[in-house]
Amino acid sequence: MTLLTRKGKWNAEKNKYYEGAWAQGNGYIQMRASFEEDLSGASQEEHYWRLPANVTLEEARNPVSKWGVYVPGIYGNHPILGEEIVNLPYPVGIQLYQDEERFDMGLSSYSDFTQSLNLKNGLLTRHFVWNTAAGSLEAEYTRYASLQNPHYIIQRIGLTARQDMEIRVESFVDASVTTNGYSHFTDTKLFHQEGLWAEVTLDSGQMVCMKCFCKFEDGDYYKEESSRTEQRLREIWKLRLKKGEPFVFYKYSVIVTSLDWSDDTDPMGVSGPFGDLLRLRERMVALELDAERLTLEAHEKIWAERWSESDVQIVGDQRLQESLRFSIYHLLRAFPWSSRAAVDAKGFAGEAYFGHYFWDTEVYLLPFYLYTAPEKARALVEFRYRMLDGARENAARYGYAGARYPWECCQSGLEQCSNWQYGDLEVHVTADVIYGLWHYCQATGDTGFLLNEGLEMMVETARYWCARADWTKDTCHLLGVMGPDEYLAFTNDNAYTNYMVKFSLDQTLKTLEMAGEERRKELGVTVPEMEEFQKVRDGLVFLYDEDAHFIWQCQNFDQFADVDFDKVWKDRSKPFGHFISQEKNYRSKALKQADTVSLFSLFPDAFDEETKKNCLEYYEKLTTHDSSLSYVIHALVHAGVKDARRSYEFLQKSMEIDLAQRGAAEGIHIANAGGLWQAVVCGLAGFSGQGEDGQPVFRPALPEHIHAIRFALCLKGRRYQVEVTADQVTVTKEEG
């Protein structure tokens, strides 16, 4: 499957699902699959206060449509929610008029409606026949975010009248849009200058400039007027269409931002807001010259190269193939365009999580990029290094030394989480960052990054853990934490957190030894401090019952209240959290998602099979999987104990999260997309990293109905083609 298609009658209730699920992007520009024209009853300028809430259970606004165009790294300052991604002025607007009648999917008479997303090249296409009072008009819209020049959105509009007809085409850019009900634009300039210009200054101090211009092929047309209202700029063209003769024109939207130059470079020699504006305009002029050389063929060639590096072929399971390619498509279009931004929790396809970055980056997303496009993985790791000063400030705000990475990160590195339960307690993210750093360096052999930026991150986070830990005689504890399971808030010695911290400290000590005395002096690390790192590593409690081969999720977990799930959870189509108060949930044995079990996916060789099976049997009965992050972990761990049947059952649930026409209205679940890739490549196909001989290791667990899995891998600069069948694993090293 490479083409997603819907046809027939447009459904307003499902429209937002398609806007999120069929989002497009090229790294720099990300946009929802919204229609080009206004929809009745779908105002884009609604202002309201979005308050801190449990996003899993929150009811979304804008039920019919929500425009969304984003540049990762461009953010605003919300007075309540902190830093958040900004929905930029909408540049792709196209309205069709026949006399005074305006085309509107919600009001107009139309037929032959089809919309499709091509996963191979990122093209979004819509076809319909508009039945006007003057006759029928066949229209086809195609658009894509160019990979040839990532500052461009390119639209092709083809119109064919079934009789001679005059129509008007309005090209517009709209700056009335809000982000989560709030406008971050402190200054907006809209003006005509050989096209439509929109320049906005954000409350973060960043600036964004857009230019939209149309190019017409041969035909009978003329420009009728240009106009503007307070927030919308328009150009209107009159077209005289001949019966049966196609009329084609293109709209180009160019976006540049103040991210386009480095923080310490002023190429024009002018500083301040005026200098920034001059730089934006100069950059725009240079980029606009590219329009003539941009081609769909060049764009498709780059997409083809990316697919060749990352595609996974499934023989014997079409639904898994479709879901996996859908996931890979979003991972490819949402990739980090630079180390100035990571990949947010909704894959830049919506605003539900404010464009924030979580532990998803290291645990769910990094492996895909690491083993398919390592340079993108490095950008994610470098982003965390960019956030180190913010992490230091976070630690200081809590009264600790070192660096504490935020649970919700945006662009400053400061904590952005508005709910104290998560922001204060979900400290495991600091260890997850170091795990991701270690994983990157192990898979790529990038010792230069490890011994420089990486070691600085390790040392600073180690200092935080030593300050955060509490001691009872010879025993070290992490008290008052929340693990991955967000339905238990204030626990002591969460097993996942403590194990990750021990691992983080262990890798820090090993890297300090590798770095040598000179580097340790540069970082100010003394022998007593290294001894403190070691003391916390060795003394930190890990709740493993050796006799029972079992790991307790936290201290006194067995004393939390039992839950009669059949009695409480009356409708399994809705999250369990809808049926229980948060207060009661916080004292009950009901897990939101995989917690202790996650350790077995991150450290597959660290625990014996009996322990894994015991924990799976115990915790699965208590896990609600209210988080989209949960199913893929259970799929991975079941594959690790060679239970292919159970692994596939969890995979099936993961597949449907974004494909089953639900859940993606506010943005896709990009972590699940990355997790699904892992569940297939590292789970069913059994890829387990690099062996002592430097070659990739495989421990497959294929379900009987899957005959083969084929994919490419990159490991320490070498590329491999892999085929896994029930009988054998064939690994071919690519030449060069």
Side-chain angles (χ1 to χ4, degrees):
M1 177 206 69
T2 58
L3 194 67
L4 303 177
T5 303
R6 62 166 169 161
K7 59 178 62 178
K9 189 70 176 175
W10 173 71
N11 187 327
E13 293 181 359
K14 292 184 177 180
N15 188 63
K16 279 189 69 178
Y17 162 78
Y18 287 103
E19 289 182 341
W22 290 9
Q24 300 171 276
N26 60 14
Y28 187 84
I29 297 173
Q30 304 291 343
M31 56 183 172
R32 287 168 62 83
S34 310
F35 293 152
E36 287 77 6
E37 70 274 1
D38 293 299
L39 277 172
S40 55
S43 171
Q44 300 298 321
E45 53 186 339
E46 183 182 13
H47 288 257
Y48 59 89
W49 284 115
R50 186 174 176 200
L51 302 176
N54 184 330
V55 178
T56 303
L57 308 178
E58 187 179 9
E59 294 295 329
R61 304 283 290 250
N62 310 91
V64 178
S65 174
K66 183 68 171 77
W67 292 343
V69 176
Y70 315 101
V71 173
I74 292 294
Y75 72 100
N77 292 309
H78 193 284
I80 298 174
L81 303 173
E83 298 169 9
E84 67 171 352
I85 196 169
V86 172
N87 183 14
L88 300 177
Y90 197 59
V92 296
I94 296 286
Q95 306 266 26
L96 298 181
Y97 293 89
Q98 203 288 310
D99 285 338
E100 297 305 313
E101 185 180 355
R102 181 182 68 83
F103 179 71
D104 183 325
M105 288 292 292
L107 299 176
S108 299
S109 172
Y110 66 88
S111 58
D112 298 337
F113 166 65
T114 303
Q115 188 180 31
S116 62
L117 173 68
N118 191 329
L119 302 181
K120 288 179 63 177
N121 57 16
L123 261 65
L124 183 71
T125 301
R126 178 168 53 128
H127 175 275
F128 58 87
V129 175
W130 180 23
N131 303 310
T132 76
S136 296
L137 176 70
E138 184 177 357
E140 183 168 276
Y141 294 178
T142 301
R143 77 172 186 237
Y144 62 96
S146 174
L147 285 178
Q148 187 181 3
N149 186 325
H151 293 270
Y152 269 87
I153 302 170
I154 300 174
Q155 297 167 266
R156 180 187 185 276
I157 297 90
L159 304 172
T160 305
R162 295 181 176 177
Q163 59 287 303
D164 290 352
M165 178 186 292
E166 286 191 355
I167 67 167
R168 288 181 296 135
V169 174
E170 175 189 311
S171 169
F172 70 85
V173 58
D174 194 305
S176 68
V177 295
T178 62
T179 307
N180 286 310
Y182 186 81
S183 177
H184 292 284
F185 305 152
T186 59
D187 185 39
T188 303
K189 294 181 175 66
L190 302 176
F191 58 94
H192 295 92
Q193 184 176 308
E194 298 180 349
L196 309 174
W197 284 73
E199 297 172 349
V200 293
T201 302
L202 309 180
D203 49 23
S204 62
Q206 294 175 317
M207 300 183 73
V208 178
C209 182
M210 294 180 176
K211 184 176 181 182
C212 307
F213 53 96
C214 293
K215 289 188 176 293
F216 291 84
E217 296 188 350
D218 293 339
D220 189 356
Y221 68 93
Y222 64 92
K223 189 173 181 179
E224 187 173 67
E225 66 174 286
S226 299
S227 64
R228 66 161 290 180
T229 59
E230 185 177 354
Q231 297 296 328
R232 178 173 290 197
L233 196 63
R234 302 178 176 89
E235 283 183 327
I236 299 177
W237 308 81
K238 176 68 72 69
L239 278 55
R240 297 188 181 97
L241 305 181
K242 298 295 184 181
K243 178 181 177 180
E245 295 183 7
F247 187 102
V248 175
F249 69 95
Y250 293 83
K251 180 174 180 178
Y252 298 89
S253 298
V254 194
I255 302 177
V256 298
T257 75
S258 50
L259 294 174
D260 290 355
W261 53 82
S262 63
D263 300 332
D264 56 356
T265 301
D266 186 358
M268 298 187 67
V270 183
S271 60
F274 180 69
D276 289 344
L277 186 56
L278 286 178
R279 284 190 284 187
L280 283 173
R281 291 177 178 172
E282 177 112 334
R283 177 105 171 115
M284 179 67 75
V285 170
L287 283 169
E288 190 181 341
L289 298 175
D290 270 359
E292 296 296 333
R293 71 179 190 87
L294 296 179
T295 64
L296 178 58
E297 290 75 16
H299 168 81
E300 289 180 324
K301 181 180 179 181
I302 301 172
W303 262 109
E305 291 170 353
R306 293 189 176 179
W307 274 110
S308 71
E309 296 170 346
S310 59
D311 191 22
V312 179
Q313 299 176 37
I314 309 290
V315 181
D317 193 320
Q318 185 61 27
R319 185 59 173 174
L320 178 56
Q321 180 72 85
E322 292 173 356
S323 181
L324 190 54
R325 284 199 171 133
F326 175 84
S327 297
I328 293 172
Y329 162 79
H330 281 293
L331 291 163
L332 291 178
R333 64 112 189 131
F335 71 93
W337 67 276
S338 85
S339 62
R340 291 169 178 258
V343 180
D344 86 321
K346 284 297 183 181
F348 308 113
E351 300 159 16
Y353 284 98
F354 321 110
H356 291 173
Y357 318 116
F358 295 75
W359 69 313
D360 308 14
T361 301
E362 284 72 28
V363 175
Y364 292 87
L365 299 176
L366 184 67
F368 169 79
Y369 297 111
L370 187 52
Y371 295 112
T372 62
E375 70 281 2
K376 304 304 180 188
R378 174 162 179 142
L380 291 175
V381 177
E382 285 182 344
F383 172 78
R384 290 296 195 181
Y385 180 70
R386 281 180 174 267
M387 300 298 106
L388 185 56
D389 284 342
R392 289 186 178 106
E393 188 172 335
N394 285 327
R397 287 164 62 183
Y398 280 97
Y400 302 119
R404 177 193 194 274
Y405 278 92
W407 175 242
E408 294 187 31
C409 183
C410 194
Q411 296 308 124
S412 67
L414 300 176
E415 181 62 72
Q416 302 304 316
C417 184
S418 302
N419 292 301
W420 71 268
Q421 300 98 314
Y422 314 116
D424 286 0
L425 306 182
E426 215 150 359
V427 295
H428 65 81
V429 63
T430 297
D432 299 329
V433 167
I434 301 305
Y435 175 88
L437 162 66
W438 168 83
H439 194 179
Y440 163 77
C441 294
Q442 282 287 108
T444 63
D446 191 348
T447 55
F449 189 88
L450 176 66
L451 296 177
N452 290 282
E453 298 96 329
L455 186 54
E456 186 179 354
M457 294 163 64
M458 286 178 163
V459 167
E460 289 297 294
T461 57
R463 287 168 174 159
Y464 164 72
W465 291 122
C466 289
R468 175 64 170 78
D470 292 297
W471 287 86
T472 304
K473 296 183 179 178
D474 295 330
T475 308
C476 186
H477 305 273
L478 288 174
L479 307 177
V481 303
M482 177 187 282
D485 168 27
E486 295 176 340
Y487 282 170
L488 284 184
F490 211 92
T491 67
N492 297 331
D493 291 324
N494 169 258
Y496 174 91
T497 304
N498 284 22
Y499 193 91
M500 291 295 284
V501 172
K502 289 167 79 74
F503 174 82
S504 176
L505 290 169
D506 188 56
Q507 295 307 315
T508 302
L509 287 163
K510 290 177 179 177
T511 309
L512 282 168
E513 289 292 342
M514 184 194 312
E517 185 176 355
E518 189 65 29
R519 180 64 177 136
R520 293 195 291 271
K521 285 181 178 178
E522 290 175 359
L523 295 169
V525 178
T526 63
V527 172
E529 188 172 38
M530 289 182 66
E531 291 173 348
E532 181 69 12
F533 295 167
Q534 183 174 342
K535 181 182 177 183
V536 173
R537 178 199 65 184
D538 297 341
L540 193 58
V541 167
F542 181 62
L543 301 173
Y544 179 58
D545 186 329
E546 294 185 6
D547 295 331
H549 289 266
F550 184 77
I551 304 168
W552 288 104
Q553 181 170 311
C554 61
Q555 293 281 8
N556 304 315
F557 181 84
D558 59 326
Q559 296 179 24
F560 283 89
D562 293 317
V563 177
D564 186 338
F565 287 98
D566 291 332
K567 183 178 180 180
V568 175
W569 201 352
K570 298 177 181 179
D571 182 357
R572 296 291 177 112
S573 69
K574 298 179 180 179
F576 171 78
H578 281 298
F579 300 92
I580 188 172
S581 69
Q582 186 163 286
E583 177 272 329
K584 187 172 183 179
N585 212 353
Y586 280 167
R587 53 186 174 84
S588 301
K589 289 201 281 282
L591 282 63
K592 182 179 180 181
Q593 64 201 77
D595 192 300
T596 302
V597 170
S598 297
L599 289 173
F600 309 143
S601 67
L602 298 178
F603 304 98
D605 298 324
F607 303 93
D608 62 75
E609 191 166 306
E610 185 178 355
T611 298
K612 295 177 184 178
K613 289 181 176 179
N614 289 342
C615 289
L616 283 169
E617 182 181 3
Y618 180 79
Y619 289 115
E620 273 183 8
K621 298 172 184 176
L622 308 176
T623 305
T624 66
H625 303 289
D626 277 0
S627 168
S628 63
L629 306 181
S630 193
Y631 291 134
V632 290
I633 297 297
H634 284 259
L636 268 167
V637 177
H638 276 291
V641 296
K642 297 297 186 288
D643 189 343
R645 181 186 64 83
R646 287 291 284 157
S647 178
Y648 186 75
E649 287 175 0
F650 281 103
L651 257 183
Q652 286 180 300
K653 295 176 180 179
S654 173
M655 286 183 232
E656 301 306 314
I657 286 176
D658 281 325
L659 272 187
Q661 296 189 11
R662 54 182 170 82
E666 306 305 318
I668 64 147
H669 299 83
I670 194 77
N672 180 66
L676 188 61
W677 181 89
Q678 290 185 63
V680 172
V681 171
C682 304
L684 302 187
F687 171 58
S688 303
Q690 188 177 29
E692 293 182 2
D693 60 356
Q695 303 303 313
V697 175
F698 295 88
R699 299 162 186 161
L702 285 185
E704 290 183 2
H705 72 283
I706 295 181
H707 308 303
I709 301 177
R710 303 187 187 105
F711 53 93
L713 280 177
C714 185
L715 192 61
K716 288 193 174 176
R718 294 185 289 271
R719 290 200 173 271
Y720 302 88
Q721 294 294 329
V722 181
E723 181 180 69
V724 178
T725 66
D727 301 317
Q728 66 182 16
V729 178
T730 304
V731 182
T732 306
K733 183 180 176 183
E734 294 183 1
E735 293 186 8

